[in-house]
Amino acid sequence: MIQKPVFLIGFMGSGKTTWGKKLANALQVPFVDLDHEIVEQIGMSIPEYFSKYGEEKFRELEREVLIAQQNKSGIISTGGGTPCYFQNMDWLLDNGIVLYLKHSPKSLWNRLNQSDINKRPALKGMTGDHLLQFIESKLEERAPFYDRAHILVDQLNTNLEELVSLVK
Ligand code: S3P
C-alpha cells in the first residue's frame, strides 16, 4: 500500500503515462492521467482546445483538474507543463509524493521523435535540430520546477522494481 498519492512529473515524452500505468498495476492502486481527465471534460483533443481557446485557458483548466485530485489515492500522471504554472508545484509537494522522471534533452528528443508530435500542441510540426533546441530551452525553463520533486529518477537506469520501492 502507498500512504499518499504519487504524482509523476516530467517533460513531454518522459514516460509519465507508461510508468504510471505500470506502477499502478504493480501496486494494485488506481491510475489517473491528468491529460485524459482534461480531454474527458472538454470533449475534444488538447491540440484542438489549444487552438480554440489558447494556452492560458488550458492552464486554468489544468489547475482545476489537478486540485480536484486532492485526497485521491493511487498514481497520478501530470502533463509536462503542470508543475510550472500557478502554484501547482507547491500544491503537488503538499498533496502527495512527487516523482520526477528525468531525461536528458537528447533522450527526450529520441523518444519524442518516435511519438506522434502533433498530439502535443507545443511541438506541432517541429523536427530535427529545431525540435532539439526547443527541448533544450524549454527544459532549462522548467527544470527549476521539476527539480523540486521529492524523488528524482534518472530514466537511464530505472526499472519497475526500483520505482515500486521508491514510492512504497
Ligand atoms: C504539455 C504537455 C502535455 C499536455 C499539453 C501541454 C506541456 O502532456 O498537457 O499538451 O506543456 O508540456 P504530456 O507531458 O503528457 O505530453
Side-chain angles (χ1 to χ4, degrees):
M1 268 309 281
I2 47 174
Q3 310 300 321
K4 288 179 170 185
V6 175
F7 295 104
L8 299 183
I9 68 166
F11 204 80
M12 290 170 268
S14 57
K16 301 178 294 284
T17 304
T18 310
W19 279 121
K21 283 183 185 161
K22 286 186 185 168
L23 252 180
N25 192 36
L27 294 161
Q28 292 291 292
V29 296
F31 170 70
V32 174
D33 180 81
L34 225 57
D35 282 340
H36 181 77
E37 295 292 300
I38 293 173
V39 168
E40 292 272 285
Q41 220 179 90
I42 59 185
M44 65 181 91
S45 72
I46 292 179
E48 223 178 316
Y49 191 87
F50 259 65
S51 60
K52 267 195 169 151
Y53 303 105
E55 179 170 359
E56 209 172 305
K57 280 270 169 275
F58 174 79
R59 296 302 172 195
E60 284 168 12
L61 182 62
E62 183 180 46
R63 164 85 181 163
E64 276 170 31
V65 175
L66 174 66
I67 61 178
Q69 305 307 312
Q70 195 165 33
N71 301 325
K72 293 220 176 128
S73 61
I75 311 293
I76 300 164
S77 76
T78 62
T82 311
C84 316
Y85 295 87
F86 305 105
Q87 302 300 316
N88 288 354
M89 193 61 195
D90 292 332
W91 188 94
L92 287 163
L93 291 165
D94 287 346
N95 284 280
I97 301 171
V98 184
L99 205 140
Y100 172 26
L101 302 178
K102 187 169 184 169
H103 288 266
S104 68
K106 199 63 203 261
S107 154
L108 291 167
W109 181 78
N110 279 325
R111 295 169 61 90
L112 286 165
N113 266 321
Q114 286 162 31
S115 74
D116 181 359
I117 284 286
N118 294 324
K119 276 194 191 154
R120 294 176 162 114
L123 305 178
K124 218 168 176 185
M126 284 189 207
T127 52
D129 281 355
H130 184 202
L131 177 61
L132 183 58
Q133 280 158 18
F134 175 85
I135 295 169
E136 281 168 349
S137 72
K138 204 68 176 167
L139 189 58
E140 202 178 309
E141 184 186 309
R142 289 181 170 180
F145 297 93
Y146 294 156
D147 285 342
R148 293 178 62 205
H150 294 120
I151 305 172
L152 195 148
V153 183
D154 177 354
Q155 286 294 281
L156 274 184
N157 305 304
T158 199
N159 56 46
L160 187 58
E161 257 176 35
E162 192 207 6
L163 290 181
V164 167
S165 70
L166 285 171
V167 300
K168 243 179 164 175

